[in-house]
Amino acid sequence: MKTKVKILITLLICIIVIILGIGIGSIYVPPKTTINILISRMFSKPLGDIPDASVSIVWNLRIPRTLLAFIVGGALAVSGTVMQSVLKNPLASSYTLGVSSGASVGAGIIIITGLSIPFLGMFTLPVFGLTFGLLTVFLAITFTSKLDKNMSNNTIILVGMVFSLFINAILTLMSALGREHVQQLLFWQMGSFSSREWSSVIILLPIVVIGVIILMRYSRELDLMTFGEDQASAIGVETHKVKWILLGLSAGLTGSAISFVGVIGFIDLIAPHVVRNFFGSSHKIVIPMSMFIGGAFMVICDLIARTIISPSELPVGAVTALIGAPFFAHVYFSKRKVR
Amino acid sequence: MLELKNVSAGYDGIDVIKDISLSLNYGENLCILGPNGCGKTTLIKAIAGLIPCKGKILVEGKDIGNMKRKEIASKIAVMSQLSSIFFSYSVYETVLLGRYLHMKGVFKGPTSYDKRCVEKCLKAVGLYEQKDKQINELSGGQLQRVFLARTLAQEPNIILLDEPTNHLDLKYQAELIDYLKEWSKEKGHSIVGVLHDINLAMRLGDKFLILEEGRIVSCGSANKAVTSNVLNKVYSMDVVGFMLDSLKKWEMLSEF
């Protein structure tokens, strides 16, 4: 099948998944009604005989939630793709560099102290999460560059793991000291899209779109770096500088995404492998397709998380792991068998 | 023209090659010989600007220490031995990556010249018909030809070889070396090669550099630099005797 056809099918799947994600829930809204509500809201057209309750559910709850799931899934998947290519490790992700541990500590400080910075308001937690997440990655990479001038991938991964473990220990200490908040912290660490509003979508969407476009600009460098840094350098890539930019940007994408919804694993691991299986390795295609596949996968996981034990909800991180682990094993090992 | 002036380089502050000086005119090929650990690969990395060095490395009179990566890559390309492939690309995509430094614009798309150049290089190495194949489906010999095409697509004036014939069978080794020799003579460009096989080195080189413990033992044309005394000394064995002994066996076999 030609790449263009595959891209069209992927986009179609994304649209169907988003419409289903919006429609399915405690109150079912048929796809046609969902589309009508979307069109009427976007182009200020009359709604006809659609009940107000449906409009309110779709527009105020389901659409922002589904879109946020799509954006976060996309951001995590793209970040995973870049990390795997830069570090030449199929198991690498921003989490390897400690972004989730750092963000959890940032979130933990806000949850336990109940701190709210006036001009940040409800965004105090995301801002703290992002800052601590990025700070951890920055410290890990800086420490690596001091330790190993060539910034070899193994050193980066090892230092990232050491930082993650160390910061996780701080988190455990914090949990022990603020026991009454443990459950809230635990739920944050498993991720959730519940009660997310338009404001989160409006803030996160431009960050992710700009981040993904900048990463796409580095597609050729990423392609070359998968052949080894010496080869990439010999063909003209400023590998050291590019590595810093790519690691920083992907950590930034993951950090921004998880700071809004909590830590969600496995999407960043699975989506890139699925995309490479279908679309080959060229990052010009793999980066945008990872965003779409990761986004669609996250919407499906969120749909399962909120409907399977309705009216209660499962943490979406648990669903991504439950589906993701066997799925990843299937994708990864079936590929190895073919070889 | 490539010129090295008192070049020392190494890793973690320890010099592996020491005080190397040489000059090479375009159209001449230089082969670097010496035992394991004498600094051959380090010298190749230094000339490619992949590791920092003391002294000066001049390409067409310009110090590579003051050049950006893309500028160095426009003059010097490196072809190494085969390494494992992490992600698979098509043959065409892989060779197109050699055009990286020539691609302009924010998203670096290939121009029609880039595409023509890639097709020309693919035809030159006899892989045009297989351009849509994935590189992980190729044999070692075919894969090395893909990397040769990628190196040629870079359009360098100097190609550095770091044992590119490792893991290749005899036919591919000879084909690769003969092709590179023809390329340098036809274009008036140069090759600086590290080849473990002295026979292949003799086939490719116009000039020879013999290294021992990072220092030059001899440098010049074959009859000046590759003498039996020098070879026996650096390899700590009777190299010429060994070669002649093998030759005698071949002569005996050829009678049957």
Side-chain angles (χ1 to χ4, degrees):
Chain A
M1 207 189 295
K2 279 202 162 173
T3 310
K4 277 183 188 162
V5 179
K6 287 187 202 168
I7 293 174
L8 275 177
I9 293 173
T10 309
L11 293 180
L12 200 67
I13 291 173
C14 287
I15 293 169
I16 293 169
V17 166
I18 289 175
I19 290 173
L20 287 178
I22 296 169
I24 298 172
S26 51
I27 295 169
Y28 175 68
V29 183
K32 202 181 156 194
T33 315
T34 307
I35 293 167
N36 280 340
I37 295 170
L38 268 172
I39 291 172
S40 79
R41 279 291 178 150
M42 282 160 74
F43 303 104
S44 308
K45 288 195 172 168
L47 272 165
D49 54 354
I50 304 167
D52 282 352
S54 295
V55 178
S56 173
I57 286 173
V58 167
W59 188 254
N60 295 326
L61 298 174
R62 299 263 182 86
I63 295 181
R65 181 178 182 142
T66 308
L67 286 183
L68 190 67
F70 190 84
I71 298 165
V72 168
L76 292 178
V78 169
S79 168
T81 301
V82 174
M83 284 287 180
Q84 286 176 11
S85 298
V86 173
L87 299 177
K88 282 182 78 180
N89 188 317
L91 300 175
S93 76
S94 292
Y95 296 157
T96 322
L97 297 187
V99 73
S100 57
S101 319
S104 297
V105 166
I109 292 171
I110 301 304
I111 290 170
I112 290 169
T113 59
L115 188 77
S116 176
I117 295 169
F119 65 92
L120 290 175
M122 61 180 281
F123 295 111
T124 308
L125 194 150
V127 169
F128 256 70
L130 175 63
T131 312
F132 275 74
L134 287 183
L135 196 67
T136 310
V137 176
F138 177 76
L139 287 175
I141 303 178
T142 311
F143 190 73
T144 308
S145 65
K146 298 266 180 255
L147 209 66
D148 174 358
K149 278 207 176 88
N150 296 322
M151 281 188 41
S152 78
N153 294 338
N154 284 344
T155 318
I156 294 179
I157 292 171
L158 278 172
V159 170
M161 283 174 68
V162 169
F163 269 69
S164 289
L165 289 171
F166 181 77
I167 288 165
N168 273 337
I170 296 176
L171 197 66
T172 312
L173 270 179
M174 280 165 58
S175 307
L177 294 172
R179 274 187 204 148
E180 61 275 31
H181 302 286
V182 166
Q183 200 185 5
Q184 207 188 341
L185 190 58
L186 196 66
F187 267 88
W188 190 86
Q189 282 186 286
M190 289 191 282
S192 172
F193 292 102
S194 105
S195 8
R196 293 296 184 268
E197 294 168 0
W198 274 106
S199 52
S200 305
V201 176
I202 291 165
I203 293 173
L204 199 57
L205 183 66
I207 296 176
V208 173
V209 170
I210 293 168
V212 172
I213 290 174
I214 299 175
L215 286 172
M216 279 173 72
R217 181 239 167 273
Y218 285 97
S219 297
R220 296 237 177 259
E221 284 83 351
L222 273 165
D223 288 340
L224 280 163
M225 282 167 81
T226 61
F227 286 95
E229 281 169 41
D230 268 358
Q231 289 197 38
S233 271
I235 296 177
V237 180
E238 304 273 354
T239 43
H240 203 268
K241 187 178 116 193
V242 169
K243 206 168 181 177
W244 258 102
I245 294 173
L246 293 174
L247 292 179
L249 269 176
S250 14
L253 266 187
T254 304
S256 314
I258 65 169
S259 64
F260 277 90
V261 295
V263 181
I264 303 170
F266 267 101
I267 299 266
D268 51 345
L269 196 63
I270 307 160
H273 288 283
V274 174
V275 172
R276 286 191 185 103
N277 266 8
F278 284 112
F279 292 92
S281 304
S282 172
H283 287 86
K284 197 174 71 185
I285 308 279
V286 171
I287 291 177
M289 287 303 112
S290 290
M291 192 181 80
F292 291 123
I293 301 254
F297 188 68
M298 187 69 100
V299 172
I300 294 170
C301 286
D302 182 46
L303 191 61
I304 294 169
R306 66 187 156 88
T307 53
I308 203 159
I309 53 159
S310 176
S312 294
E313 268 192 31
L314 285 174
V316 69
V319 179
T320 56
L322 277 172
I323 302 175
F327 188 59
F328 175 73
H330 171 71
V331 171
Y332 192 68
F333 290 111
S334 61
K335 199 169 77 179
R336 279 176 52 147
K337 235 186 260 170
V338 171
R339 273 181 194 169
Chain B
M1 187 185 167
L2 174 72
E3 213 176 344
L4 272 70
K5 287 182 180 171
N6 309 103
V7 173
S8 299
Y11 313 93
D12 300 322
I14 300 163
D15 287 342
V16 177
I17 49 166
K18 295 146 199 152
D19 204 24
I20 307 281
S21 296
L22 62 92
S23 72
L24 188 71
N25 291 318
Y26 279 158
E28 287 178 331
N29 296 333
L30 173 78
C31 282
I32 305 164
L33 293 169
N36 285 340
C38 70
K40 300 185 294 285
T41 297
T42 309
L43 180 56
I44 289 286
K45 282 191 172 180
I47 298 173
L50 298 175
I51 52 171
C53 66
K54 289 168 231 159
K56 274 188 176 170
I57 298 172
L58 306 166
V59 180
E60 293 167 16
K62 214 170 165 190
D63 189 350
I64 65 159
N66 301 325
M67 285 157 85
K68 291 206 161 185
R69 278 256 45 102
K70 275 194 177 181
E71 200 183 348
I72 299 174
S74 70
K75 306 281 179 207
I76 302 173
V78 184
M79 196 178 164
S80 315
Q81 57 180 289
L82 286 178
S83 53
S84 59
I85 299 164
F86 190 62
F87 291 130
S88 186
Y89 290 81
S90 75
V91 169
Y92 185 87
E93 282 170 340
T94 310
V95 178
L96 185 62
L97 289 174
R99 297 296 301 162
Y100 167 75
L101 67 110
H102 301 283
M103 291 184 195
K104 304 275 187 297
V106 179
F107 287 93
K108 299 187 185 68
T111 59
S112 55
Y113 178 79
D114 290 324
K115 290 177 188 165
R116 276 204 309 279
C117 178
V118 170
E119 284 170 12
K120 202 175 84 186
C121 296
L122 279 169
K123 282 176 187 160
V125 299
L127 280 174
Y128 184 73
E129 302 300 322
Q130 315 203 42
K131 65 181 170 34
D132 296 321
K133 256 195 174 177
Q134 290 293 304
I135 53 171
N136 62 356
E137 296 167 11
L138 303 178
S139 68
Q142 287 174 319
L143 188 58
Q144 199 58 305
R145 269 150 66 199
V146 174
F147 290 132
L148 171 64
R150 191 182 69 183
T151 308
L152 298 175
Q154 211 173 318
E155 294 187 320
N157 296 341
I158 300 166
I159 294 181
L160 305 179
L161 304 175
D162 188 10
E163 300 177 28
T165 52
N166 281 12
H167 313 298
L168 295 189
D169 65 31
L170 199 60
K171 179 176 165 254
Y172 283 130
Q173 290 186 19
E175 270 181 16
L176 182 69
I177 294 306
D178 289 347
Y179 182 85
L180 285 166
K181 183 158 185 142
E182 205 183 301
W183 172 85
S184 70
K185 296 299 161 207
E186 192 184 300
K187 305 257 180 192
H189 293 338
S190 286
I191 289 166
V192 178
V194 170
L195 297 163
H196 259 306
D197 188 322
I198 299 176
N199 292 318
L200 284 177
M202 295 300 263
R203 208 172 164 109
L204 176 70
D206 304 303
K207 266 185 160 181
F208 297 85
L209 177 75
I210 319 287
L211 287 180
E212 190 183 32
E213 290 176 4
R215 289 187 190 278
I216 295 180
V217 179
S218 67
C219 184
S221 59
N223 56 6
K224 207 173 122 197
V226 198
T227 60
S228 56
N229 279 346
V230 169
L231 287 180
N232 293 351
K233 179 178 171 280
V234 297
Y235 286 104
S236 310
M237 68 176 279
D238 182 8
V239 178
V240 178
F242 176 81
M243 297 275 197
L244 290 174
D245 195 36
S246 301
L247 203 61
K248 269 182 208 155
K249 282 183 184 157
W250 282 114
E251 272 172 357
M252 275 163 64
L253 280 172
S254 65
E255 287 170 14
F256 291 101

